Amino acid sequence: MTLCAADTARTIACRDGDAAATLKLISMFVIFFTSVVGISAPVMLARLFHGKPLYDKAILVIKCFAAGVILSTSLVHVLPDAFDALADCHVSSHHPWKDFPFSGLITLIGVLTALLVDLTATSHVDGYSHGHGHGNGNKEVAGYTQIGGSEELKKSVVEIEVVEAEEERRRLKEDEMVKMKQKMVSQVLEIGIIFHSVIIGVTMGMSQNKCTIKPLVAALAFHQIFEGMGLGGCIAQAGFGFGTTAYMCSMFAVTTPMGIVLGMILFSVTGYDDSSPNALILEGLLGSLSSGILIYMGLVDLIALDFFHNKLMSSETWLKKTSFAALVLGSTSMSILALWA
């Protein structure tokens, strides 16, 4: 109870609605600009160097940096904030929040939800590829064997051509499945990041604490750059069309500023305090769910997929080392920001 009283006194001393509103307006423009820079940089570079000799390898390294950013975001930023929100003295002193670790439970639900979406989407992709991948090989063999007769040489040439055609079809089908998988990963990843961005924006928008908002402006600017680079790298590798790419980049760029506006509206209409138990519970539950989704996507669909199932990386030892270094660099860069945000 003494700790609660000290926290309350510190909060009252820092409450300044006018100063907080000014800082929030500045933060909306800063965060929007840095979000655009962060997410558009890898997308523009990918389009600029598309078709160049090192294009695929560069995209892979960028994606590994992205995986480090996403994993660090979930484990160092989102999950601790969710635990802190539900461990706040105004929440943890009441039932049922003091009786069970709900942050861990909701994170688990987020992981299982991401797995369910992944399984469903993968089944859809497999069904699509099987439905479009059969029907040509047997017809070609039948057509050629009628010509064959006793001409053994011609028959051998025809059989080789048929085998090569089948290999080419199989390779194209695998490439198509990989592309569809990458697109699905990018879309689910953006959903998890948008959850996180909305929570940040609404929380800042409702806050009247200038001591909390001031350091967040600069920290969130770097946060959005790194997170944008992470998502942008995945979007670039997925190979979306221009319209879809522009839409996904725009959604990422405007989500946090829109969340700030929404938080300001909620506070002005309802006077809802961001430090109230209900606000903390909502922040903790949504943060835990978002963290679970990002942990699954980072480990399974980004790191494991590239380091264990990517033919390009398995054939190039130096590329594997470079990709691991990029992964560590992304994780470290995002983790350092936890000192301020």
Side-chain angles (χ1 to χ4, degrees), residues 107-131:
T107 301
L108 175 62
I109 291 173
V111 171
L112 296 178
T113 301
L115 174 60
L116 179 61
V117 171
D118 207 353
L119 289 173
T120 304
T122 302
S123 300
H124 175 72
V125 170
D126 290 340
Y128 176 85
S129 62
H130 288 313

Side-chain angles (χ1 to χ4, degrees), residues 205-250:
M206 289 192 301
S207 177
Q208 303 300 303
N209 189 323
K210 64 178 183 180
C211 302
T212 302
I213 297 173
K214 190 178 294 184
L216 276 179
V217 177
L220 284 178
F222 287 102
H223 180 280
Q224 292 300 103
I225 287 177
F226 288 129
E227 200 170 66
M229 288 177 66
L231 180 58
C234 296
I235 293 173
Q237 190 184 44
F240 289 104
F242 177 78
T244 304
T245 300
Y247 172 76
M248 293 180 73
C249 292
S250 300

Side-chain angles (χ1 to χ4, degrees), residues 12-204:
I12 292 173
C14 286
R15 287 183 75 88
D16 186 338
D18 293 336
T22 302
L23 288 171
K24 281 182 267 191
L25 289 173
I26 294 171
S27 69
M28 281 191 287
F29 291 104
V30 172
I31 289 172
F32 176 77
F33 176 75
T34 53
S35 298
V36 170
V37 171
I39 197 167
S40 61
V43 173
M44 295 298 293
L45 287 173
R47 290 188 178 273
L48 183 63
F49 291 101
H50 187 71
K52 299 294 183 3
L54 292 177
Y55 172 78
D56 292 333
K57 295 174 183 177
I59 287 293
L60 182 59
V61 172
I62 291 173
K63 190 182 175 186
C64 290
F65 178 86
V69 169
I70 298 304
L71 194 60
S72 177
T73 298
S74 59
L75 291 173
V76 182
H77 291 261
V78 186
L79 189 58
D81 287 347
F83 270 97
D84 287 345
L86 294 182
D88 187 274
C89 57
H90 297 292
V91 176
S92 60
S93 58
H94 299 87
H95 296 287
W97 308 104
K98 69 176 183 179
D99 302 321
F100 192 83
F102 282 95
S103 295
L105 175 65
I106 303 302
T107 301
L108 175 62
I109 291 173
V111 171
L112 296 178
T113 301
L115 174 60
L116 179 61
V117 171
D118 207 353
L119 289 173
T120 304
T122 302
S123 300
H124 175 72
V125 170
D126 290 340
Y128 176 85
S129 62
H130 288 313
H132 290 75
H134 296 295
N136 293 326
N138 293 334
K139 290 180 181 178
E140 287 191 40
V141 173
Y144 281 121
T145 51
Q146 289 177 1
I147 299 172
S150 60
E151 301 178 15
E152 296 296 332
L153 181 58
K154 182 186 286 187
K155 184 176 180 181
S156 298
V157 171
V158 169
E159 287 175 350
I160 291 172
E161 290 177 350
V162 170
V163 170
E164 289 177 348
E166 282 293 325
E167 284 293 321
E168 181 67 15
R169 270 193 294 274
R170 184 181 63 79
R171 187 183 65 78
L172 290 174
K173 185 174 71 174
E174 288 179 355
D175 291 345
E176 182 183 14
M177 289 179 65
V178 168
K179 278 294 180 187
M180 292 183 70
K181 174 75 171 178
Q182 289 169 347
K183 290 179 180 179
M184 184 272 297
V185 167
S186 300
Q187 290 166 337
V188 176
L189 190 60
E190 178 153 27
I191 291 171
I193 289 175
I194 283 176
F195 263 126
H196 172 46
S197 298
V198 168
I199 293 167
I200 291 175
V202 172
T203 302
M204 180 183 282

